[in-house]
């Protein structure tokens, strides 16, 4: 039980008494002692689950091909791939030479053997040696293949150190750049490194140019963004012709370009920013026209449209958006999410019917002034995810596509752009005799409070769940209901080896595609943000009620699950409808939302105002957020609440550990059965290393199974 040390926070005439704000002092030994006591309490309460955790860990391990490698991807004169080795926590990055300029068929490599001619570029295990945590934040090879720029974080706070490796000798150069943000790139000639840094609120606000071989103190700032709503990132176009800087808030964006053969030159803006207009830029070469820009934007096009524009010449100022030509018009039923250019085709990432798809446009035969015709790639399953995979080469004759579903393991396809022929290059192997035909997936629709139909995806093992003639549950099954619902992020169908440990024990896994996500297009996102945020919570409850009403499960056999912004959803749902669930699993949960969004000095706060509103300046936003912020709405008596497990990390910079720590303290004081597990050496994504991650998953699965009454399974 945490001490109660009341402090007051007053805004817009309202005073909130916060009894646990003292837990924010991460450098206070008393706070650390409390967090360690929380861990000890949780371990003691769940010690009886250790045998189950051990079984689940070994189930995950035994189903995983531990020595494996990715499908090689061509870049320049080499095939690049990532390889894992049994017994090692982290992958290694390697390459082998191409056999010639016309070698476009990836080599067939044996996962259990070291390929002939392999050059290991970076072994993450060696880099992680001596550290409890390791994360790779940047990895880019120069166009000439001679240098590698990479960045590492060994604490979990997402502050990365950039280094440069000479790939001829395999040795690191003296260049070391501290305190960077992920996403460093290297110019094609290997002479310059471009990287972002952050301000005091952990916002990437500057892009720097570093000349290899020179001290970091001589680095040149090439762009600074003073508006605290905007993040910056830097990249290189697929054809290696342009360096690009992208700036974006939650609702406005801006792009800058620079010829890559002049890396010491001045970046220039493509379109000047206009409030509320988002756009991205993809340089390309159009037949009969030459260099051009493909621009995906949402001005008067809620679901975005694609236009072509001239490359603004150096010194000529920004391009005129009115001069752009529409080639893929806006469609209210199809969300255009991304565009990728190749020498003979343009590829679109589109979303239709709550499903992510890939569409291809052939550049031959295009008629000026006539909209482009995009051909969607077809897959056999009604519930699936398809996306463009790694395709670094602009002149590739084959398109690399990644596909998966809830029952089909991740599959890599190469699609011949000339003939359409499809070749399966790799399907993730699942050991132990996995057969996708033993499992089923389906889509259902719940009805929200306002009549909106909300999609639900379900997956289960056929012989473990009994269905009626209508295809819904005949005998209520234990069910895990997952939700997120923020930032227009979609929870698309995906395969999971660890999930099999739940499905094989008879658990149905369901995803509530609530508003605030992007599953149904931009309008779906708009319907669950700002002053419509409560739709996210009530949609989730409506999905739970639908699953009970159609016989899939009962409240006593259902656990809610969500992380980060989905953790806010979990906290809100626990307050809104505690009787609907047997348990709530909240990962790195954003449960003290109002306190955080009121403090612009905290990481992410200002950029988040466009997602949640600004309660510091607007009393209506303050009252609205106060009405749903989980921490502030825990009642004095929460003894009727479901079991709650919150999982967090001490060094998380996105959702500070103090939020779930305060939330659990208040829940427990109110009589709720709440537990806190905090990783003392991890970040927002949890522990690093695959075996450590499997142990963390096994811990959460065991708690879930216990809550569902399956602890003996």
């Amino acid at each position: 039980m945490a001490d109660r040390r009341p402090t007051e926070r007053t805004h817009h005439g309202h005073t909130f008494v916060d009894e646990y704000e003292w837990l924010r002092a991460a450098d206070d030994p008393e706070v650390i002692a409390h967090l360690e006591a929380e861990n000890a309490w949780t371990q003691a309460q769940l010690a009886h689950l250790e045998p189950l955790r051990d079984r689940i860990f070994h189930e995950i391990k035994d189903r995983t091909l531990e020595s494996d490698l990715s499908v090689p991807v061509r870049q320049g004169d080499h095939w690049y791939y990532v390889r894992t080795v049994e017994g090692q926590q982290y992958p290694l990055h390697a390459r082998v030479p191409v056999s010639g300029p016309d070698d476009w068929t990836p080599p067939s490599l044996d996962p259990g053997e070291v390929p002939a001619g392999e050059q290991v570029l970076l072994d993450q295990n060696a880099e992680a040696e001596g550290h409890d945590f390791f994360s790779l934040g940047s990895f880019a090879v120069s166009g000439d293949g001679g240098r590698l720029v990479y960045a590492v974080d060994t604490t979990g706070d997402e502050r990365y150190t950039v280094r440069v490796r000479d790939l001829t000798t395999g040795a690191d150069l003296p260049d070391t750049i501290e305190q960077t943000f992920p996403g460093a790139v290297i110019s094609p000639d290997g002479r310059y490194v471009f990287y972002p840094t952050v301000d005091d609120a952990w916002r990437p606000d500057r892009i720097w140019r570093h000349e290899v071989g020179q001290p970091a103190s001589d680095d040149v700032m090439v762009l600074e963004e003073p508006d605290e709503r905007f993040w910056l990132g830097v990249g290189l176009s697929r054809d290696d012709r342009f360096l690009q800087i992208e700036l974006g808030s939650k609702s406005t964006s801006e792009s800058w370009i620079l010829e890559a053969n002049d890396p010491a030159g001045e970046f220039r803006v493509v379109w000047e920013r206009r409030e509320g207009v988002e756009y991205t830029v993809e340089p390309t070469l159009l037949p009969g026209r030459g260099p051009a820009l493909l621009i995906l934007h949402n001005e008067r096009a809620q679901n975005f449209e694609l236009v072509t524009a001239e490359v603004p010449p150096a010194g000529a100022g920004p391009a005129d958006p009115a001069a752009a030509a529409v080639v893929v018009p806006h469609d209210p039923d199809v969300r255009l999410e991304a565009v990728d250019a190749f020498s003979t085709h343009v590829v679109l990432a589109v979303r239709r019917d709550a499903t992510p798809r890939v569409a291809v446009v052939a550049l031959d035969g295009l008629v000026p002034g006539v909209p482009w015709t995009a051909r969607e790639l077809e897959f056999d399953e009604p519930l699936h995810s398809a996306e463009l995979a790694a395709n670094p080469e602009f002149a590739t004759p084959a398109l690399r596509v990644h596909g998966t579903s809830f029952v089909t393991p991740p599959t890599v396809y190469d699609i011949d752009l000339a003939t359409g022929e499809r070749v399966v290059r790799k399907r993730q192997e699942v050991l132990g005799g996995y057969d996708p035909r033993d499992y089923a997936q389906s889509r259902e629709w719940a009805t929200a409070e306002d009549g909106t139909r909300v999609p639900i995806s379900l997956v289960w093992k056929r012989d473990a769940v009994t269905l009626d003639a209508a295809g819904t549950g005949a005998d209520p099954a234990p069910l895990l209901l997952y939700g997120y619902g923020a930032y227009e992020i979609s929870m698309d169908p995906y395969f999971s080896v660890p999930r099999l440990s739940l499905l094989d024990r008879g658990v149905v896994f369901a995803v509530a595609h609530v508003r605030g996500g992007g599953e149904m297009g931009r309008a779906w996102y708009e319907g669950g943000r700002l002053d419509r945020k409560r739709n996210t919570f009530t949609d989730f409850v409506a999905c739970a009620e639908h699953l009970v009403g159609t016989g899939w499960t009962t409240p006593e056999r259902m656990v809610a699950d969500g992380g980060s912004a989905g953790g806010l959803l979990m906290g809100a749902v626990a307050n809104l409808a505690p009787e609907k669930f047997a348990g709530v699993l909240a990962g790195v949960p954003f449960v003290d939302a109002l306190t955080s969004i009121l403090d612009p000095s905290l990481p992410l706060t200002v950029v988040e105002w466009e997602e949640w509103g600004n309660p510091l300046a607007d009393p209506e936003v303050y009252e609205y957020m106060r009405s749903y912020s989980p921490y502030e709405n825990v009642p004095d008596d929460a003894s009727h609440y479901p079991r709650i497990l919150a999982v967090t990390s001490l060094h998380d910079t996105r959702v500070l550990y103090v939020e779930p720590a305060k939330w659990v303290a208040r829940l427990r004081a109110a009589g709720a059965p709440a537990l806190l597990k905090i990783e003392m050496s991890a970040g927002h994504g949890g522990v690093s290393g695959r075996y450590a991650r499997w142990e963390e998953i096994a811990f959460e699965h065991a708690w879930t199974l216990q809550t569902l009454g399956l602890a003996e399974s």
Side-chain angles (χ1 to χ4, degrees), residues 383 405-407 439-443 456-461 465 477-483 491-496 498-504 506-513 547 552-553 557-562 585 701 704 708:
L383 289 186
S405 76
F406 287 113
V407 300
Y439 301 82
Q441 58 180 350
S442 71
R443 169 69 53 77
I456 309 170
S457 297
L458 300 103
V459 58
W460 66 94
K461 191 172 186 183
V465 177
L479 186 144
L480 180 64
L481 180 60
Y482 180 84
M491 298 294 108
D492 296 319
Y494 68 99
F495 182 81
S496 166
R499 187 197 297 140
L500 296 176
S501 292
L502 297 177
L503 302 184
D504 286 355
V507 178
V508 176
F509 178 77
V511 179
H513 302 285
L547 293 169
W552 278 102
T553 191
R557 306 201 77 189
M558 181 161 43
V559 167
D561 180 15
L585 176 59
H701 278 9
T704 298
L708 292 172

Side-chain angles (χ1 to χ4, degrees), residues 228-277:
E228 294 180 296
R229 299 174 301 159
F230 284 76
W231 281 31
L232 284 74
V234 62
L236 189 66
S237 65
R238 178 174 282 104
D239 60 6
D240 280 354
R241 290 189 305 118
F242 290 98
L243 289 155
Q244 297 177 255
I245 296 176
E246 301 285 346
L247 301 86
S249 72
K250 292 293 189 299
S251 62
T252 306
S253 60
E254 187 175 76
S255 293
W256 295 63
I257 59 173
L258 170 67
E259 282 74 11
N261 61 8
D262 182 27
E266 296 291 330
F267 282 84
R268 59 190 183 276
V269 67
V270 176
W271 285 355
E272 288 186 325
R273 74 184 64 170
R274 288 163 291 161
E275 193 68 30
V277 176

Side-chain angles (χ1 to χ4, degrees), residues 537-538 540-541 560-561 566-586 591 628-631 633-635 637-645 663 667 672-674:
F537 317 139
T538 54
F540 191 87
V541 173
D561 180 15
L568 165 65
L569 170 60
M570 294 301 100
V573 165
N575 291 334
L576 185 64
E579 74 285 354
K580 305 289 185 184
F581 306 95
V584 172
L585 176 59
V591 283
Y628 68 72
S629 185
Y631 175 62
N633 285 283
V634 173
D637 181 7
S639 58
H640 59 296
Y641 272 38
R643 295 179 181 179
I644 293 174
L645 173 62
W663 182 53
L667 282 166

Side-chain angles (χ1 to χ4, degrees), residues 80 95 141-148 165-168:
Y80 291 81
R95 69 184 182 184
V141 177
S142 59
D144 62 7
R147 284 175 173 166
L148 164 70
R165 180 161 294 178
D166 185 332
L167 296 182
T168 303

Side-chain angles (χ1 to χ4, degrees), residues 26 31-36 39 132-133 155 648-651 677-683 687:
V31 172
I32 297 299
H34 172 76
L35 298 177
E36 290 173 341
N39 275 342
D132 293 332
F133 180 91
T155 64
T648 189
S649 302
L650 181 63
H651 299 296
K677 180 176 183 287
I678 180 167
E679 295 293 341
M680 304 303 282
S681 298
V687 294

Side-chain angles (χ1 to χ4, degrees), residues 5 22-37 650 657 680:
R5 303 176 186 177
W22 65 274
L23 291 172
R24 189 176 299 275
D27 55 351
D28 186 340
E30 191 175 6
V31 172
I32 297 299
H34 172 76
L35 298 177
E36 290 173 341
L650 181 63
Y657 76 89
M680 304 303 282

Side-chain angles (χ1 to χ4, degrees), residues 611-628:
E611 179 76 17
W612 313 98
N614 182 356
L616 195 62
D618 190 329
E620 291 186 3
V621 172
Y622 177 87
E623 287 301 322
Y624 188 65
M625 289 194 70
R626 187 165 75 89
S627 73
Y628 68 72

